[in-house]
Amino acid sequence: MKELNQYIFEGTPDGYTYLASPYSAHKLHTQVLRFIAARDFCVWCLKEKIPVFSPIVHWHNIVQTERLPSDAKSFTNQNEALLWGAGGLAILDIPGWQASLGVTEEIELAKQRCLFIRLVRRDTEYKGKGFTYKSR
């Protein structure tokens, strides 16, 4: 298990980990906070040499600058193709993930492919800056 001051996560046994996290929201501020949480986890994975792909991190700036739709359905085709190549699915446990249509779709696709699925949990007792995640 890899450990750094902010995260605890094992990665995926095969290939890269696809990071599922909520994004769509009525307020831009909420979308930005969700993007930052996903980005921070991806940065940590990069430092720990854990291959990870996050559609939120990949598309956030493009969606904002090009004024593209940010709903889950607009990205279904992209997400399916990228999840198909993944070795596993990590679900970022931040507010909104259980109600997220996109995350729900990604979980169902991962189950159909019999992928390794891991909930990456925030440690609420972490006193430092950012989040601590624990695999479940």
Side-chain angles (χ1 to χ4, degrees), residues 73-115:
K73 289 292 178 200
S74 296
F75 292 90
T76 297
N77 186 41
Q78 293 286 321
N79 294 344
E80 283 180 8
L82 291 161
L83 190 52
W84 183 258
L89 176 75
I91 305 159
L92 192 59
D93 185 5
I94 59 174
W97 81 264
Q98 291 174 317
S100 169
L101 297 176
V103 172
T104 300
E105 277 184 6
E106 291 160 332
I107 291 169
E108 289 307 311
L109 284 168
K111 285 180 181 177
Q112 289 171 17
R113 292 213 43 240
C114 298
L115 290 179

CSV table of all heavy atoms in Angstrom, one decimal, residues 73-115:
chain,number,residue,atom,x,y,z
A,73,LYS,N,-24.5,12.8,-19.4
A,73,LYS,CA,-24.9,12.3,-20.7
A,73,LYS,C,-24.0,12.8,-21.8
A,73,LYS,O,-23.8,12.0,-22.8
A,73,LYS,CB,-26.3,12.5,-21.0
A,73,LYS,CG,-27.3,11.8,-20.1
A,73,LYS,CD,-27.2,10.3,-20.4
A,73,LYS,CE,-28.1,9.5,-19.5
A,73,LYS,NZ,-27.8,8.1,-19.4
A,74,SER,N,-23.5,14.0,-21.8
A,74,SER,CA,-22.7,14.6,-22.8
A,74,SER,C,-21.4,13.9,-22.9
A,74,SER,O,-20.7,13.9,-24.0
A,74,SER,CB,-22.5,16.1,-22.6
A,74,SER,OG,-23.7,16.8,-22.7
A,75,PHE,N,-21.0,13.1,-21.9
A,75,PHE,CA,-19.7,12.5,-21.8
A,75,PHE,C,-19.7,11.0,-21.8
A,75,PHE,O,-18.7,10.3,-21.7
A,75,PHE,CB,-18.8,13.0,-20.7
A,75,PHE,CG,-18.5,14.5,-20.8
A,75,PHE,CD1,-19.3,15.5,-20.4
A,75,PHE,CD2,-17.3,14.8,-21.5
A,75,PHE,CE1,-19.0,16.8,-20.6
A,75,PHE,CE2,-17.0,16.1,-21.7
A,75,PHE,CZ,-17.9,17.1,-21.2
A,76,THR,N,-20.9,10.4,-22.0
A,76,THR,CA,-21.1,9.0,-21.9
A,76,THR,C,-20.2,8.2,-22.9
A,76,THR,O,-19.5,7.3,-22.5
A,76,THR,CB,-22.6,8.6,-22.1
A,76,THR,OG1,-23.3,9.1,-21.0
A,76,THR,CG2,-22.7,7.1,-22.1
A,77,ASN,N,-20.1,8.7,-24.1
A,77,ASN,CA,-19.3,8.0,-25.1
A,77,ASN,C,-17.9,8.0,-24.8
A,77,ASN,O,-17.2,7.0,-24.8
A,77,ASN,CB,-19.6,8.7,-26.5
A,77,ASN,CG,-18.9,7.9,-27.6
A,77,ASN,OD1,-18.9,6.7,-27.6
A,77,ASN,ND2,-18.3,8.7,-28.5
A,78,GLN,N,-17.4,9.2,-24.3
A,78,GLN,CA,-16.0,9.3,-23.9
A,78,GLN,C,-15.6,8.4,-22.7
A,78,GLN,O,-14.7,7.7,-22.7
A,78,GLN,CB,-15.7,10.8,-23.6
A,78,GLN,CG,-15.7,11.7,-24.7
A,78,GLN,CD,-14.5,11.6,-25.6
A,78,GLN,OE1,-13.4,11.4,-25.1
A,78,GLN,NE2,-14.7,11.7,-26.9
A,79,ASN,N,-16.5,8.5,-21.7
A,79,ASN,CA,-16.3,7.8,-20.5
A,79,ASN,C,-16.3,6.2,-20.7
A,79,ASN,O,-15.5,5.5,-20.2
A,79,ASN,CB,-17.3,8.1,-19.4
A,79,ASN,CG,-17.1,9.6,-19.0
A,79,ASN,OD1,-16.1,10.2,-19.2
A,79,ASN,ND2,-18.1,10.1,-18.3
A,80,GLU,N,-17.2,5.8,-21.5
A,80,GLU,CA,-17.3,4.3,-21.8
A,80,GLU,C,-16.0,3.9,-22.5
A,80,GLU,O,-15.5,2.8,-22.1
A,80,GLU,CB,-18.5,4.0,-22.8
A,80,GLU,CG,-19.8,4.0,-22.0
A,80,GLU,CD,-21.0,3.7,-23.0
A,80,GLU,OE1,-20.8,3.3,-24.2
A,80,GLU,OE2,-22.1,3.8,-22.5
A,81,ALA,N,-15.5,4.6,-23.5
A,81,ALA,CA,-14.3,4.2,-24.2
A,81,ALA,C,-13.1,4.2,-23.3
A,81,ALA,O,-12.3,3.2,-23.3
A,81,ALA,CB,-14.1,5.2,-25.4
A,82,LEU,N,-13.0,5.2,-22.4
A,82,LEU,CA,-11.8,5.2,-21.5
A,82,LEU,C,-12.0,4.2,-20.4
A,82,LEU,O,-11.0,3.6,-20.0
A,82,LEU,CB,-11.6,6.6,-21.0
A,82,LEU,CG,-11.2,7.6,-22.1
A,82,LEU,CD1,-11.4,9.0,-21.8
A,82,LEU,CD2,-9.7,7.3,-22.5
A,83,LEU,N,-13.1,4.0,-19.9
A,83,LEU,CA,-13.3,3.0,-18.9
A,83,LEU,C,-13.1,1.6,-19.4
A,83,LEU,O,-12.6,0.7,-18.7
A,83,LEU,CB,-14.8,3.1,-18.3
A,83,LEU,CG,-15.1,2.3,-17.0
A,83,LEU,CD1,-14.0,2.5,-15.9
A,83,LEU,CD2,-16.4,2.6,-16.5
A,84,TRP,N,-13.4,1.4,-20.7
A,84,TRP,CA,-13.1,0.1,-21.3
A,84,TRP,C,-11.6,-0.3,-21.3
A,84,TRP,O,-11.3,-1.5,-21.1
A,84,TRP,CB,-13.6,0.1,-22.8
A,84,TRP,CG,-13.4,-1.2,-23.5
A,84,TRP,CD1,-12.4,-1.5,-24.4
A,84,TRP,CD2,-14.3,-2.3,-23.3
A,84,TRP,NE1,-12.6,-2.8,-24.8
A,84,TRP,CE2,-13.7,-3.4,-24.2
A,84,TRP,CE3,-15.4,-2.6,-22.6
A,84,TRP,CZ2,-14.3,-4.6,-24.3
A,84,TRP,CZ3,-16.0,-3.9,-22.7
A,84,TRP,CH2,-15.4,-4.8,-23.5
A,85,GLY,N,-10.8,0.7,-21.3
A,85,GLY,CA,-9.3,0.4,-21.3
A,85,GLY,C,-8.7,0.3,-19.9
A,85,GLY,O,-7.6,0.0,-19.8
A,86,ALA,N,-9.5,0.6,-18.9
A,86,ALA,CA,-9.0,0.7,-17.5
A,86,ALA,C,-8.9,-0.7,-16.9
A,86,ALA,O,-9.6,-1.6,-17.3
A,86,ALA,CB,-9.9,1.6,-16.7
A,87,GLY,N,-8.0,-0.7,-15.9
A,87,GLY,CA,-7.8,-2.0,-15.2
A,87,GLY,C,-8.7,-2.0,-13.9
A,87,GLY,O,-8.8,-3.0,-13.3
A,88,GLY,N,-9.2,-0.9,-13.6
A,88,GLY,CA,-10.1,-0.8,-12.4
A,88,GLY,C,-10.7,0.6,-12.3
A,88,GLY,O,-10.4,1.5,-13.0
A,89,LEU,N,-11.6,0.7,-11.3
A,89,LEU,CA,-12.4,1.9,-11.1
A,89,LEU,C,-12.2,2.3,-9.6
A,89,LEU,O,-12.3,1.5,-8.7
A,89,LEU,CB,-13.9,1.7,-11.3
A,89,LEU,CG,-14.8,2.8,-11.1
A,89,LEU,CD1,-14.7,3.9,-12.1
A,89,LEU,CD2,-16.2,2.4,-11.0
A,90,ALA,N,-11.8,3.6,-9.4
A,90,ALA,CA,-11.8,4.2,-8.1
A,90,ALA,C,-12.9,5.2,-8.0
A,90,ALA,O,-13.0,6.0,-8.9
A,90,ALA,CB,-10.4,4.8,-7.8
A,91,ILE,N,-13.6,5.2,-7.0
A,91,ILE,CA,-14.7,6.1,-6.8
A,91,ILE,C,-14.3,7.1,-5.7
A,91,ILE,O,-14.0,6.7,-4.6
A,91,ILE,CB,-16.0,5.4,-6.3
A,91,ILE,CG1,-16.4,4.3,-7.3
A,91,ILE,CG2,-17.1,6.5,-6.1
A,91,ILE,CD1,-17.3,3.3,-6.7
A,92,LEU,N,-14.2,8.4,-6.0
A,92,LEU,CA,-13.8,9.4,-5.1
A,92,LEU,C,-14.9,9.7,-4.2
A,92,LEU,O,-15.9,10.3,-4.6
A,92,LEU,CB,-13.3,10.6,-5.9
A,92,LEU,CG,-12.5,11.7,-5.1
A,92,LEU,CD1,-11.3,11.2,-4.5
A,92,LEU,CD2,-12.2,12.9,-6.1
A,93,ASP,N,-14.7,9.4,-2.9
A,93,ASP,CA,-15.8,9.6,-1.9
A,93,ASP,C,-15.8,11.1,-1.4
A,93,ASP,O,-15.2,11.5,-0.4
A,93,ASP,CB,-15.5,8.7,-0.7
A,93,ASP,CG,-16.6,8.8,0.3
A,93,ASP,OD1,-17.7,9.4,0.1
A,93,ASP,OD2,-16.5,8.1,1.4
A,94,ILE,N,-16.4,11.9,-2.2
A,94,ILE,CA,-16.7,13.3,-1.9
A,94,ILE,C,-18.2,13.6,-2.0
A,94,ILE,O,-18.9,12.8,-2.6
A,94,ILE,CB,-15.9,14.3,-2.8
A,94,ILE,CG1,-16.3,14.1,-4.3
A,94,ILE,CG2,-14.4,14.1,-2.6
A,94,ILE,CD1,-15.7,15.1,-5.2
A,95,PRO,N,-18.7,14.6,-1.3
A,95,PRO,CA,-20.1,14.9,-1.3
A,95,PRO,C,-20.7,14.9,-2.8
A,95,PRO,O,-20.1,15.5,-3.7
A,95,PRO,CB,-20.2,16.2,-0.7
A,95,PRO,CG,-19.0,16.3,0.2
A,95,PRO,CD,-17.9,15.6,-0.5
A,96,GLY,N,-21.8,14.1,-2.9
A,96,GLY,CA,-22.4,14.1,-4.2
A,96,GLY,C,-22.2,12.8,-5.0
A,96,GLY,O,-22.9,12.6,-6.0
A,97,TRP,N,-21.2,12.0,-4.6
A,97,TRP,CA,-20.9,10.8,-5.5
A,97,TRP,C,-22.0,9.8,-5.6
A,97,TRP,O,-22.3,9.2,-6.6
A,97,TRP,CB,-19.6,10.2,-5.1
A,97,TRP,CG,-19.6,9.2,-3.9
A,97,TRP,CD1,-19.4,9.5,-2.6
A,97,TRP,CD2,-20.0,7.8,-4.0
A,97,TRP,NE1,-19.5,8.3,-1.9
A,97,TRP,CE2,-19.9,7.3,-2.7
A,97,TRP,CE3,-20.4,6.9,-5.0
A,97,TRP,CZ2,-20.2,6.0,-2.4
A,97,TRP,CZ3,-20.6,5.6,-4.7
A,97,TRP,CH2,-20.5,5.2,-3.4
A,98,GLN,N,-22.8,9.6,-4.5
A,98,GLN,CA,-23.8,8.6,-4.5
A,98,GLN,C,-25.0,9.0,-5.3
A,98,GLN,O,-25.7,8.2,-5.8
A,98,GLN,CB,-24.2,8.3,-3.0
A,98,GLN,CG,-23.1,7.6,-2.3
A,98,GLN,CD,-23.5,7.4,-0.8
A,98,GLN,OE1,-24.0,8.3,-0.2
A,98,GLN,NE2,-23.2,6.2,-0.3
A,99,ALA,N,-25.2,10.3,-5.5
A,99,ALA,CA,-26.4,10.8,-6.2
A,99,ALA,C,-26.0,11.2,-7.7
A,99,ALA,O,-26.8,11.5,-8.5
A,99,ALA,CB,-26.9,12.1,-5.6
A,100,SER,N,-24.7,11.0,-8.0
A,100,SER,CA,-24.2,11.4,-9.3
A,100,SER,C,-24.6,10.4,-10.4
A,100,SER,O,-24.3,9.2,-10.3
A,100,SER,CB,-22.7,11.5,-9.3
A,100,SER,OG,-22.1,11.6,-10.6
A,101,LEU,N,-25.3,10.8,-11.4
A,101,LEU,CA,-25.7,10.0,-12.5
A,101,LEU,C,-24.4,9.4,-13.3
A,101,LEU,O,-24.4,8.3,-13.7
A,101,LEU,CB,-26.6,10.7,-13.5
A,101,LEU,CG,-27.9,11.2,-12.9
A,101,LEU,CD1,-28.7,12.0,-14.0
A,101,LEU,CD2,-28.8,10.0,-12.5
A,102,GLY,N,-23.4,10.3,-13.4
A,102,GLY,CA,-22.2,9.9,-14.1
A,102,GLY,C,-21.5,8.8,-13.4
A,102,GLY,O,-21.1,7.8,-14.0
A,103,VAL,N,-21.3,8.9,-12.1
A,103,VAL,CA,-20.7,7.9,-11.2
A,103,VAL,C,-21.4,6.6,-11.3
A,103,VAL,O,-20.9,5.5,-11.4
A,103,VAL,CB,-20.4,8.4,-9.8
A,103,VAL,CG1,-19.9,7.3,-8.9
A,103,VAL,CG2,-19.5,9.6,-9.8
A,104,THR,N,-22.8,6.7,-11.2
A,104,THR,CA,-23.6,5.5,-11.2
A,104,THR,C,-23.4,4.8,-12.5
A,104,THR,O,-23.3,3.5,-12.5
A,104,THR,CB,-25.1,5.9,-11.1
A,104,THR,OG1,-25.3,6.6,-9.8
A,104,THR,CG2,-26.0,4.7,-11.1
A,105,GLU,N,-23.4,5.5,-13.7
A,105,GLU,CA,-23.1,4.9,-15.0
A,105,GLU,C,-21.7,4.2,-15.0
A,105,GLU,O,-21.6,3.1,-15.5
A,105,GLU,CB,-23.1,5.9,-16.1
A,105,GLU,CG,-24.5,6.3,-16.6
A,105,GLU,CD,-24.4,7.3,-17.8
A,105,GLU,OE1,-23.3,7.6,-18.3
A,105,GLU,OE2,-25.5,7.7,-18.2
A,106,GLU,N,-20.7,4.9,-14.5
A,106,GLU,CA,-19.4,4.4,-14.5
A,106,GLU,C,-19.3,3.1,-13.6
A,106,GLU,O,-18.6,2.1,-14.0
A,106,GLU,CB,-18.4,5.4,-14.0
A,106,GLU,CG,-18.3,6.6,-15.0
A,106,GLU,CD,-17.7,7.9,-14.5
A,106,GLU,OE1,-17.9,8.1,-13.3
A,106,GLU,OE2,-17.1,8.6,-15.2
A,107,ILE,N,-20.0,3.1,-12.5
A,107,ILE,CA,-20.0,1.9,-11.6
A,107,ILE,C,-20.6,0.7,-12.4
A,107,ILE,O,-20.1,-0.4,-12.4
A,107,ILE,CB,-20.7,2.1,-10.3
A,107,ILE,CG1,-19.8,3.1,-9.5
A,107,ILE,CG2,-20.9,0.8,-9.5
A,107,ILE,CD1,-20.6,3.7,-8.2
A,108,GLU,N,-21.7,1.0,-13.0
A,108,GLU,CA,-22.4,-0.1,-13.8
A,108,GLU,C,-21.6,-0.7,-14.9
A,108,GLU,O,-21.5,-1.9,-15.1
A,108,GLU,CB,-23.8,0.4,-14.3
A,108,GLU,CG,-24.8,0.6,-13.2
A,108,GLU,CD,-25.0,-0.7,-12.3
A,108,GLU,OE1,-25.1,-1.8,-12.9
A,108,GLU,OE2,-24.9,-0.5,-11.1
A,109,LEU,N,-20.9,0.2,-15.6
A,109,LEU,CA,-20.0,-0.2,-16.7
A,109,LEU,C,-18.8,-1.0,-16.1
A,109,LEU,O,-18.5,-2.1,-16.7
A,109,LEU,CB,-19.4,1.0,-17.5
A,109,LEU,CG,-20.4,1.7,-18.4
A,109,LEU,CD1,-19.8,3.0,-18.9
A,109,LEU,CD2,-20.6,0.8,-19.6
A,110,ALA,N,-18.3,-0.6,-15.0
A,110,ALA,CA,-17.2,-1.4,-14.4
A,110,ALA,C,-17.7,-2.7,-13.9
A,110,ALA,O,-16.9,-3.7,-14.1
A,110,ALA,CB,-16.6,-0.6,-13.2
A,111,LYS,N,-18.9,-2.8,-13.4
A,111,LYS,CA,-19.4,-4.1,-13.0
A,111,LYS,C,-19.6,-5.0,-14.2
A,111,LYS,O,-19.3,-6.2,-14.1
A,111,LYS,CB,-20.7,-3.9,-12.3
A,111,LYS,CG,-20.6,-3.4,-10.9
A,111,LYS,CD,-22.0,-3.2,-10.3
A,111,LYS,CE,-21.9,-2.7,-8.9
A,111,LYS,NZ,-23.3,-2.5,-8.3
A,112,GLN,N,-20.1,-4.5,-15.3
A,112,GLN,CA,-20.3,-5.3,-16.5
A,112,GLN,C,-19.0,-5.9,-17.0
A,112,GLN,O,-18.9,-7.0,-17.5
A,112,GLN,CB,-20.9,-4.4,-17.6
A,112,GLN,CG,-22.4,-4.1,-17.4
A,112,GLN,CD,-22.9,-3.1,-18.4
A,112,GLN,OE1,-22.3,-2.9,-19.4
A,112,GLN,NE2,-24.0,-2.4,-18.0
A,113,ARG,N,-17.9,-5.1,-16.8
A,113,ARG,CA,-16.6,-5.5,-17.3
A,113,ARG,C,-15.8,-6.3,-16.2
A,113,ARG,O,-14.7,-6.7,-16.4
A,113,ARG,CB,-15.7,-4.3,-17.6
A,113,ARG,CG,-16.2,-3.6,-18.9
A,113,ARG,CD,-15.1,-3.0,-19.7
A,113,ARG,NE,-14.0,-3.9,-19.9
A,113,ARG,CZ,-12.7,-3.5,-19.5
A,113,ARG,NH1,-12.5,-2.3,-18.9
A,113,ARG,NH2,-11.7,-4.3,-19.7
A,114,CYS,N,-16.5,-6.5,-15.0
A,114,CYS,CA,-15.9,-7.2,-13.9
A,114,CYS,C,-14.5,-6.6,-13.5
A,114,CYS,O,-13.5,-7.2,-13.2
A,114,CYS,CB,-15.6,-8.7,-14.2
A,114,CYS,SG,-17.2,-9.6,-14.6
A,115,LEU,N,-14.5,-5.2,-13.5
A,115,LEU,CA,-13.3,-4.5,-13.1
A,115,LEU,C,-13.2,-4.4,-11.6
A,115,LEU,O,-14.2,-4.5,-10.8
A,115,LEU,CB,-13.4,-3.1,-13.6
A,115,LEU,CG,-13.2,-2.9,-15.1
A,115,LEU,CD1,-13.3,-1.4,-15.4
A,115,LEU,CD2,-11.9,-3.5,-15.6
